[in-house]
Coordinates of all heavy atoms in Angstrom, one line a residue:
Q1 N 1.7 -11.1 9.0 CA 0.8 -10.1 9.5 C -0.3 -10.7 10.4 O -0.9 -10.0 11.2 CB 0.2 -9.3 8.3 CG -0.4 -10.2 7.2 CD -1.9 -10.2 7.3 OE1 -2.6 -9.6 8.1 NE2 -2.5 -11.0 6.4
T2 N -0.5 -12.1 10.2 CA -1.5 -12.7 11.1 C -1.0 -12.7 12.6 O -1.7 -12.4 13.5 CB -1.7 -14.2 10.7 OG1 -2.2 -14.2 9.3 CG2 -2.8 -14.8 11.6
E3 N 0.3 -13.0 12.8 CA 0.9 -12.9 14.1 C 0.8 -11.4 14.6 O 0.5 -11.2 15.8 CB 2.4 -13.3 14.0 CG 2.6 -14.8 14.0 CD 4.1 -15.1 13.9 OE1 4.9 -14.4 14.5 OE2 4.5 -16.1 13.2
A4 N 1.1 -10.5 13.8 CA 1.1 -9.1 14.2 C -0.3 -8.7 14.7 O -0.5 -8.1 15.7 CB 1.5 -8.2 13.0
M5 N -1.3 -9.1 13.9 CA -2.7 -8.7 14.2 C -3.2 -9.4 15.5 O -4.0 -8.8 16.2 CB -3.6 -9.1 13.0 CG -3.4 -8.3 11.7 SD -3.8 -6.6 11.8 CE -5.6 -6.7 11.6
T6 N -2.8 -10.6 15.7 CA -3.3 -11.3 16.9 C -2.6 -11.1 18.2 O -3.2 -11.2 19.2 CB -3.3 -12.9 16.6 OG1 -2.0 -13.3 16.2 CG2 -4.3 -13.2 15.5
L7 N -1.3 -10.7 18.1 CA -0.5 -10.6 19.3 C -0.4 -9.1 19.8 O -0.3 -8.9 21.0 CB 0.9 -11.1 19.0 CG 1.1 -12.6 18.8 CD1 2.5 -13.0 18.4 CD2 0.7 -13.4 20.0
G8 N -0.3 -8.2 18.9 CA 0.1 -6.8 19.3 C -0.9 -6.0 19.9 O -2.1 -6.0 19.4
D9 N -0.6 -5.2 21.0 CA -1.4 -4.1 21.4 C -1.4 -3.0 20.3 O -2.4 -2.4 20.0 CB -0.9 -3.5 22.7 CG -1.0 -4.5 23.9 OD1 -2.0 -5.3 23.9 OD2 -0.2 -4.4 24.8
R10 N -0.2 -2.8 19.8 CA 0.0 -1.9 18.7 C 1.0 -2.6 17.7 O 1.8 -3.3 18.2 CB 0.5 -0.5 19.1 CG -0.5 0.4 19.8 CD 0.1 1.8 20.0 NE 1.3 1.7 20.8 CZ 2.3 2.7 20.8 NH1 2.2 3.7 20.0 NH2 3.3 2.6 21.6
I11 N 0.8 -2.3 16.4 CA 1.8 -2.8 15.5 C 2.5 -1.7 14.7 O 1.9 -0.6 14.5 CB 1.1 -3.8 14.5 CG1 0.0 -3.2 13.7 CG2 0.6 -5.0 15.2 CD1 -0.6 -4.2 12.7
V12 N 3.7 -1.9 14.4 CA 4.5 -0.9 13.7 C 4.9 -1.5 12.3 O 5.6 -2.5 12.3 CB 5.8 -0.6 14.5 CG1 6.7 0.4 13.7 CG2 5.5 -0.1 15.9
I13 N 4.3 -0.9 11.3 CA 4.5 -1.5 9.9 C 5.7 -0.7 9.3 O 5.7 0.5 9.2 CB 3.3 -1.3 9.1 CG1 2.1 -2.1 9.8 CG2 3.5 -1.9 7.7 CD1 0.7 -1.6 9.3
M14 N 6.7 -1.5 8.8 CA 7.9 -0.9 8.3 C 8.1 -1.3 6.8 O 7.6 -2.3 6.4 CB 9.1 -1.4 9.1 CG 9.1 -0.9 10.5 SD 10.7 -1.4 11.4 CE 11.9 -0.4 10.5
R15 N 8.8 -0.4 6.1 CA 9.1 -0.7 4.7 C 10.4 0.1 4.4 O 10.4 1.3 4.7 CB 8.0 -0.2 3.8 CG 8.3 -0.5 2.3 CD 7.2 0.2 1.5 NE 7.2 -0.1 0.1 CZ 6.6 0.5 -0.9 NH1 5.8 1.5 -0.6 NH2 6.7 0.1 -2.1
D16 N 11.4 -0.5 3.9 CA 12.6 0.1 3.4 C 13.2 1.0 4.5 O 13.7 2.1 4.2 CB 12.4 1.0 2.2 CG 11.8 0.1 1.0 OD1 12.1 -1.1 1.0 OD2 11.2 0.7 0.1
G17 N 13.2 0.6 5.8 CA 13.8 1.3 6.8 C 13.0 2.4 7.5 O 13.4 3.0 8.5
F18 N 11.8 2.6 6.9 CA 11.0 3.7 7.5 C 9.7 3.1 8.1 O 9.2 2.1 7.6 CB 10.5 4.7 6.4 CG 11.6 5.6 5.9 CD1 12.4 5.3 4.8 CD2 11.8 6.8 6.5 CE1 13.4 6.1 4.4 CE2 12.8 7.7 6.1 CZ 13.6 7.3 5.0
I19 N 9.2 3.7 9.1 CA 7.9 3.4 9.7 C 6.8 3.9 8.7 O 6.8 5.1 8.4 CB 7.7 4.0 11.1 CG1 8.6 3.3 12.1 CG2 6.2 3.8 11.6 CD1 8.6 4.0 13.5
Q20 N 5.9 3.0 8.4 CA 4.8 3.4 7.5 C 3.5 3.8 8.3 O 2.8 4.7 7.9 CB 4.4 2.3 6.6 CG 5.5 1.8 5.6 CD 5.9 2.9 4.6 OE1 5.1 3.4 3.9 NE2 7.2 3.3 4.6
Q21 N 3.3 3.1 9.4 CA 2.1 3.4 10.3 C 2.3 2.7 11.6 O 2.9 1.6 11.7 CB 0.8 2.9 9.6 CG -0.4 3.3 10.3 CD -1.7 3.1 9.5 OE1 -1.6 2.7 8.3 NE2 -2.8 3.3 10.1
I22 N 1.8 3.3 12.6 CA 1.8 2.8 14.0 C 0.3 2.8 14.5 O -0.3 3.9 14.3 CB 2.6 3.5 15.0 CG1 4.1 3.6 14.5 CG2 2.6 2.9 16.4 CD1 5.0 4.5 15.3
G23 N -0.2 1.8 15.0 CA -1.6 1.8 15.5 C -2.0 0.4 16.0 O -1.3 -0.6 15.9
T24 N -3.2 0.4 16.6 CA -3.7 -0.9 17.0 C -4.0 -1.8 15.7 O -4.2 -1.2 14.6 CB -5.0 -0.8 17.8 OG1 -6.1 -0.2 16.9 CG2 -4.9 0.2 19.0
P25 N -4.1 -3.1 15.9 CA -4.4 -3.9 14.7 C -5.7 -3.5 14.0 O -5.7 -3.4 12.8 CB -4.6 -5.3 15.3 CG -3.7 -5.3 16.5 CD -3.8 -3.9 17.1
Q26 N -6.7 -3.1 14.8 CA -8.0 -2.7 14.2 C -7.8 -1.3 13.4 O -8.4 -1.1 12.3 CB -9.1 -2.5 15.2 CG -10.5 -2.5 14.7 CD -10.8 -3.9 14.0 OE1 -10.7 -4.9 14.6 NE2 -11.3 -3.8 12.8
E27 N -7.0 -0.4 14.0 CA -6.8 0.9 13.3 C -6.1 0.7 12.0 O -6.5 1.3 11.0 CB -5.9 1.8 14.2 CG -6.7 2.4 15.4 CD -5.8 3.1 16.4 OE1 -4.5 3.0 16.3 OE2 -6.3 3.7 17.3
V28 N -5.1 -0.1 11.9 CA -4.3 -0.2 10.7 C -5.1 -1.0 9.6 O -5.0 -0.8 8.4 CB -2.9 -0.8 10.9 CG1 -2.1 0.1 11.7 CG2 -3.0 -2.2 11.4
F29 N -6.0 -1.9 10.1 CA -6.9 -2.7 9.2 C -8.0 -1.8 8.6 O -8.2 -1.8 7.4 CB -7.5 -3.8 9.9 CG -8.3 -4.7 9.1 CD1 -7.7 -5.7 8.3 CD2 -9.7 -4.6 9.0 CE1 -8.5 -6.5 7.5 CE2 -10.5 -5.4 8.2 CZ -9.9 -6.4 7.4
D30 N -8.6 -1.0 9.5 CA -9.7 -0.1 9.1 C -9.3 1.2 8.4 O -10.0 1.7 7.5 CB -10.6 0.3 10.3 CG -11.3 -0.9 10.8 OD1 -11.5 -1.9 10.1 OD2 -11.7 -0.9 12.0
H31 N -8.1 1.7 8.8 CA -7.7 3.0 8.3 C -6.2 3.0 7.9 O -5.3 3.6 8.5 CB -7.9 4.1 9.4 CG -9.3 4.1 9.9 ND1 -10.4 4.5 9.2 CD2 -9.7 3.9 11.2 CE1 -11.4 4.4 9.9 NE2 -11.1 4.1 11.1
P32 N -5.8 2.2 6.8 CA -4.4 2.2 6.4 C -4.0 3.6 5.9 O -4.7 4.2 5.2 CB -4.5 1.2 5.3 CG -5.9 1.1 4.8 CD -6.7 1.4 6.0
N33 N -2.8 4.0 6.3 CA -2.2 5.3 5.9 C -1.9 5.4 4.4 O -2.0 6.4 3.8 CB -0.9 5.5 6.6 CG -1.1 6.2 8.0 OD1 -2.3 6.5 8.3 ND2 -0.1 6.4 8.7
N34 N -1.5 4.3 3.8 CA -1.1 4.3 2.4 C -1.4 3.0 1.7 O -1.8 2.0 2.3 CB 0.3 4.7 2.3 CG 1.3 3.8 3.1 OD1 1.1 2.6 3.1 ND2 2.2 4.4 3.7
L35 N -1.1 2.9 0.4 CA -1.3 1.8 -0.4 C -0.5 0.5 0.1 O -1.1 -0.6 0.1 CB -0.9 2.1 -1.8 CG -1.6 1.3 -3.0 CD1 -3.1 1.6 -2.9 CD2 -1.0 1.7 -4.3
F36 N 0.7 0.8 0.6 CA 1.5 -0.3 1.0 C 0.9 -1.0 2.3 O 0.8 -2.2 2.3 CB 2.9 0.1 1.4 CG 3.8 -0.9 2.1 CD1 4.3 -2.0 1.3 CD2 4.0 -0.9 3.4 CE1 5.1 -3.0 2.0 CE2 4.7 -1.9 4.1 CZ 5.3 -2.9 3.3
V37 N 0.5 -0.2 3.2 CA -0.1 -0.7 4.5 C -1.4 -1.5 4.1 O -1.7 -2.6 4.7 CB -0.4 0.4 5.5 CG1 -1.1 -0.2 6.7 CG2 1.0 1.0 6.0
S38 N -2.2 -0.9 3.2 CA -3.5 -1.5 2.9 C -3.3 -2.9 2.3 O -4.1 -3.8 2.5 CB -4.3 -0.6 2.0 OG -3.7 -0.6 0.7
G39 N -2.2 -3.1 1.5 CA -2.0 -4.3 0.9 C -1.3 -5.3 1.8 O -1.4 -6.5 1.6

């Protein structure tokens, strides 16, 4: 996740084949969609 946060204009967080959240690194850090993304 350090690579994701430092490199991406946007990051796509995946779990079990599904997209959990799409957003800028700051967006997903400040406003995680769910418990998995927040952790």
